[in-house]
Amino acid sequence: YSLNEYQFLGQVYEPILQYDYLLRPYKLIPLTAATMPEVHYYDKGGQEIISPENGEVAQSFYTIHIKSGILYQPHPAFAKDTTGRPRYVNLSSDFLDENNISRLADFKYTGTRELTVDDYIYQIKRLANPLVNSPIYGLMSEHIIGFHEFGASLPAVKGFLDLRQYPLAGLRKIDDYTFQISIKGLYPQFMFWLEMPFFSPVPWEVDRFYHEPDMDDKNLSFGWYPVGTGPFMLSENNPNSHMILDKNPNYRGDFLPTSGSIDDQQKGYLKNQGKRLPLIDKAVYTLEKESIPRWNKFLQGYYDSSGISADSFDKAIQITTLGTAALTPDMQAKGMRLTQMSEPSIFYLGFNMLDNVVGGKSERARNLRQAISIAVNFDEDIAIFFNGRGEAAQGPIPPGIFGFREGKEGINPYVYTWEGNAPKRRSIEDAKALMKKAGYPNGRDPATGHALILHYDVHATGGPDDKSQLNWMQKQFARIGIALDIRATHYNRFQEKIRSGNAQIYSWSWSADYPDPENFLFLLYGGNSMVLHGGENSANYTNPVYDQLFNEMKKRPNDEERQKLIDKMVDLLRHDAPWVWGIHNESLTLTQQWLSPVKTSTMSLSTLKYIDVDVQKRNILRNAWNQPILW
């Protein structure tokens, strides 16, 4: 459930639905599904409800038909011998060492088979298996009928557990290409979930294969080698050096759309219309630990696309008299293409509400959190580290998502006032007054007589930008007398600390999975507490009033009543301050002229299949840009 992982998952796995590549606003369309799911609603008496908004829905039934003839990528789990039996089953404990197998490519034989609905059913059962530790276990337990009961009924075994042998009440197979999911009550957002990697197919044979002896010791697992029906397969996985996606030779006939808007045509998004996907054979992702060498290699033509760091901003971007971003003459001379996108996302500072200093529901802790919210000046952060790209968040919902409020009615009154025609950040004196109310006058801890020490966990990239950003954060806390102890770790370790509740204050971010306010408001729903329930509420915030409003809000369409519910929820969050709301950022991306234009999507990262590369042009320009200078 991390953005860096989605870059790969989106190319390998195929859920049931996808977002239309060209259409905006975003629209869900079939991916492996033959048609859009059929939804029927029933009341408690079993009578069908034609207009769900006018009746009390007890159950919703989603009937899903998938396409025939879809094949999995080649994989040893599907390999069979001459008698038709699986080759790699019941392996001896020393099989891998005897055959010098340390990676998936070392297996001599591979095979494939057709996708059926059994694979989708198997994956949904995996989501319910407590041993899998799915981050949406708590959420789906509230919606899919029998989901929680299924998980509770499974035996706790260490080895392979064949989930086909255990029925889940909310799933019904109709035939090999049709199945049904039963949902409690009305939950219209469930259709969005059918586009996410959680609802991708998982073959039981691969699950069994990865449970063979010593597989984990060799990193032979779903986490290292995902198996899907998508356009690419992860053939090499060395995250300390490089990762390689190769074209799936079994990928079905899928083609770039042949129709789009006039704007799509003019911007070149239909350049390869009608061509078979994917358009490239391989994608290589290389780890660069520092931003300056990565930028220089991009300018030399060794990378096809690049973000723009603060160090490189002035070299790449000039701000026009209208305040818009444009390419510098040097970038224009290289034929670069600039893509600017406001992302439906939020970068925030989170408090662990289970912590006995910054957490809890006491006035003392709330005043402390609000003082920090004023002191950490994200307006300044945007100006220094983001070159003015983005806006300070006033709550959890970003612009472009229903529920977001603009102007005076949209500000966080605990951090801002409204003066003239613009928000104004409250003074540091206001923050110091709150520190005094919290029992920490001038930031002093009465228990020690010294500055209050708070611990800040952050995932560091190891690049040169880290030090300046962390120094800036320390200075923000020092403005109200707090000594900030920085604990920077690699991302995997950081995630583990947050999951186990071993953090006090931390920085994280969230990008929209689907265009609905629920996808942001559920991050603070009590039932999704990361420590208590394994969900995505990393702050472990609980408020019964908020939870009740959330359950009312998520069932409603985007109407005035839903907006009122959202306003009440956001007011509660601003008052309790489980987050310092942070930044809604804008991204700038540069691509080389030899890459075909690709329409960006804020909802999906499954766009690699649409990219085309003019290899001949790349080779010519790369050679021209890297001639030796003779003295």
Side-chain angles (χ1 to χ4, degrees):
Y1 214 166
S2 290
L3 204 58
N4 58 344
E5 296 165 354
Y6 270 34
Q7 293 183 60
F8 298 94
L9 295 177
Q11 323 313 326
V12 176
Y13 286 114
E14 290 190 302
I16 294 161
L17 304 177
Q18 64 180 334
Y19 287 102
D20 189 289
Y21 170 50
L22 297 173
L23 196 62
R24 301 293 183 273
Y26 294 100
K27 180 183 178 182
L28 286 171
I29 61 172
L31 180 55
T32 60
T35 59
M36 289 297 290
E38 301 167 13
V39 189
H40 296 273
Y41 308 97
Y42 295 87
D43 61 20
K44 291 181 180 179
Q47 296 295 313
E48 184 171 2
I49 300 173
I50 304 302
S51 301
E53 62 276 8
N54 298 326
E56 189 63 33
V57 177
Q59 290 187 356
S60 305
F61 291 87
Y62 289 72
T63 303
I64 298 161
H65 307 272
I66 68 168
K67 300 169 185 173
S68 62
I70 298 176
L71 298 177
Y72 282 98
Q73 68 184 64
H75 193 276
F78 302 124
K80 295 183 178 179
D81 60 22
T82 54
T83 66
R85 295 179 179 178
R87 284 186 178 272
Y88 302 113
V89 175
N90 301 322
L91 304 179
S92 63
S93 58
D94 51 4
F95 177 86
L96 299 181
D97 290 331
E98 286 182 352
N99 291 273
N100 296 316
I101 294 174
S102 60
R103 57 197 183 111
L104 202 65
D106 293 334
F107 284 91
K108 185 177 179 180
Y109 300 99
T110 62
T112 186
R113 73 160 172 80
E114 185 184 19
L115 169 73
T116 68
V117 297
D118 293 303
D119 305 320
Y120 284 106
I121 291 172
Y122 194 85
Q123 164 59 3
I124 295 171
K125 290 180 177 180
R126 286 184 74 247
L127 294 175
N129 185 352
L131 295 179
V132 173
N133 195 26
S134 168
I136 65 165
Y137 173 82
L139 184 68
M140 288 301 126
S141 293
E142 297 179 12
H143 298 297
I144 298 178
I145 292 174
F147 191 88
H148 176 74
E149 293 79 2
F150 175 85
S153 70
L154 293 177
V157 298
K158 290 185 177 181
F160 171 63
L161 178 64
D162 190 349
L163 298 176
R164 297 175 301 165
Q165 308 305 318
Y166 299 87
L168 197 162
L171 300 175
R172 183 169 76 92
K173 177 182 177 180
I174 298 173
D175 56 46
D176 284 348
Y177 306 107
T178 311
F179 76 114
Q180 193 174 76
I181 306 175
S182 304
I183 302 295
K184 302 173 187 175
L186 182 66
Y187 182 49
Q189 290 84 6
F190 187 71
M191 197 72 82
F192 291 123
W193 285 97
L194 298 179
E195 181 273 339
M196 297 175 65
F198 297 108
F199 289 86
S200 298
V202 169
W204 71 272
E205 300 97 322
V206 181
D207 192 15
R208 179 182 63 184
F209 174 84
Y210 284 143
H211 278 90
E212 291 291 331
D214 294 333
M215 289 285 186
D216 274 348
D217 295 338
K218 305 286 186 181
N219 279 329
L220 294 168
S221 65
F222 283 115
W224 214 255
Y225 294 106
V227 183
T229 60
F232 295 94
M233 53 188 188
L234 186 59
S235 52
E236 288 191 44
N237 186 358
N238 183 358
N240 292 317
S241 174
H242 63 271
M243 300 171 75
I244 296 178
L245 288 168
D246 277 308
K247 180 179 178 180
N248 174 7
N250 298 333
Y251 190 58
R252 65 189 180 281
D254 189 14
F255 302 90
L256 199 141
T258 56
S259 62
S261 67
I262 295 175
D263 185 63
D264 292 334
Q265 185 78 47
Q266 291 174 343
K267 291 182 177 178
Y269 301 143
L270 299 177
K271 177 184 175 182
N272 293 299
Q273 59 181 325
K275 287 188 178 180
R276 185 163 184 156
L277 302 175
L279 299 170
I280 59 172
D281 293 327
K282 178 181 291 190
V284 180
Y285 298 80
T286 305
L287 176 67
E288 291 283 356
K289 295 185 178 179
E290 296 187 5
S291 60
I292 294 175
R294 179 176 69 240
W295 174 252
N296 288 337
K297 291 178 184 178
F298 170 68
L299 294 182
Q300 291 173 292
Y302 291 105
Y303 290 127
D304 297 319
S305 64
S306 174
I308 305 173
S309 67
D311 292 332
S312 309
F313 187 84
D314 291 337
K315 299 173 186 176
I317 301 297
Q318 57 185 358
I319 303 300
T320 68
T321 54
L322 298 176
T324 58
L327 291 173
T328 60
D330 287 344
M331 296 298 105
Q332 292 178 38
K334 282 183 170 286
M336 297 292 183
R337 189 183 303 116
L338 174 65
T339 302
Q340 187 171 0
M341 183 168 59
S342 295
E343 300 180 4
S345 62
I346 183 169
F347 171 88
Y348 63 90
L349 199 72
F351 299 102
N352 180 4
M353 298 295 280
L354 300 178
D355 182 78
N356 58 10
V357 177
V358 301
K361 300 178 181 179
S362 68
E363 281 294 301
R364 177 202 60 77
R366 183 178 66 82
N367 286 326
L368 175 60
R369 293 192 298 269
Q370 288 191 356
I372 294 171
S373 298
I374 296 171
V376 180
N377 190 339
F378 277 110
D379 297 281
E380 182 181 285
D381 187 46
I382 293 167
I384 296 174
F385 298 107
F386 294 88
N387 303 100
R389 290 171 287 162
E391 62 179 275
Q394 306 292 335
I397 302 175
I401 300 294
F402 181 84
F404 175 78
R405 292 281 197 183
E406 294 195 59
K408 184 177 180 179
E409 62 181 356
I411 67 166
N412 179 358
Y414 300 97
V415 180
Y416 290 87
T417 59
W418 188 264
E419 296 188 11
N421 226 3
K424 182 181 179 181
R425 197 173 196 91
R426 291 187 179 275
S427 70
I428 202 68
E429 297 306 318
D430 288 350
K432 289 179 178 178
L434 286 167
M435 287 293 291
K436 187 175 181 179
K437 289 176 67 176
Y440 303 104
N442 298 316
R444 295 284 166 177
D445 186 345
T448 64
H450 301 294
L452 173 65
I453 299 174
L454 296 179
H455 306 288
Y456 175 54
D457 279 278
V458 62
H459 49 96
T461 63
D465 296 339
D466 285 350
K467 185 176 180 181
S468 58
Q469 289 178 332
L470 294 176
N471 286 342
W472 178 87
M473 188 63 77
Q474 279 185 319
K475 290 177 182 177
Q476 303 304 298
F477 280 79
R479 296 200 302 160
I480 51 176
I482 297 173
L484 191 65
D485 170 39
I486 293 176
R487 304 191 291 197
T489 54
H490 290 298
Y491 190 47
N492 286 349
R493 174 63 180 142
F494 170 80
Q495 290 183 90
E496 180 56 35
K497 292 177 80 171
I498 303 299
R499 277 196 294 264
S500 59
N502 291 323
Q504 191 174 52
I505 304 173
Y506 61 95
S507 283
W508 220 348
S509 61
W510 185 265
S511 294
D513 294 314
Y514 48 89
D516 190 89
E518 188 218 26
N519 191 231
F520 288 88
L521 297 172
F522 93 127
L523 297 172
L524 292 155
Y525 175 63
N528 291 333
S529 166
M530 190 167 282
V531 172
L532 301 178
H533 305 292
E536 286 300 312
N537 177 355
S538 56
N540 304 296
Y541 171 73
T542 58
N543 183 321
V545 178
Y546 178 88
D547 290 351
Q548 181 182 348
L549 291 169
F550 175 83
N551 286 322
E552 293 179 40
M553 178 279 305
K554 68 183 181 181
K555 299 175 183 178
R556 292 202 61 83
N558 290 339
D559 57 12
E560 185 179 346
E561 183 60 32
R562 194 181 203 206
Q563 182 67 64
K564 290 179 182 178
L565 293 169
I566 291 171
D567 290 342
K568 291 178 183 178
M569 295 169 69
V570 172
D571 285 345
L572 284 172
L573 294 175
R574 289 169 175 165
H575 175 269
D576 292 345
W579 291 0
V580 180
W581 301 107
I583 300 169
H584 302 308
N585 65 304
E586 295 178 1
S587 67
L588 296 176
T589 304
L590 290 177
T591 51
Q592 303 279 12
Q593 59 181 284
W594 52 76
L595 252 66
S596 63
V598 175
K599 192 163 188 175
T600 56
S601 173
T602 60
M603 288 298 134
S604 173
L605 288 176
S606 307
T607 54
L608 183 63
K609 61 185 177 182
Y610 302 114
I611 293 177
D612 189 22
V613 180
D614 187 334
V615 178
Q616 184 178 5
K617 179 184 280 190
R618 179 169 63 185
N619 291 340
I620 292 171
L621 290 173
R622 187 184 287 173
N623 182 61
W625 293 346
N626 293 282
Q627 290 298 313
I629 300 172
L630 301 178
W631 293 72

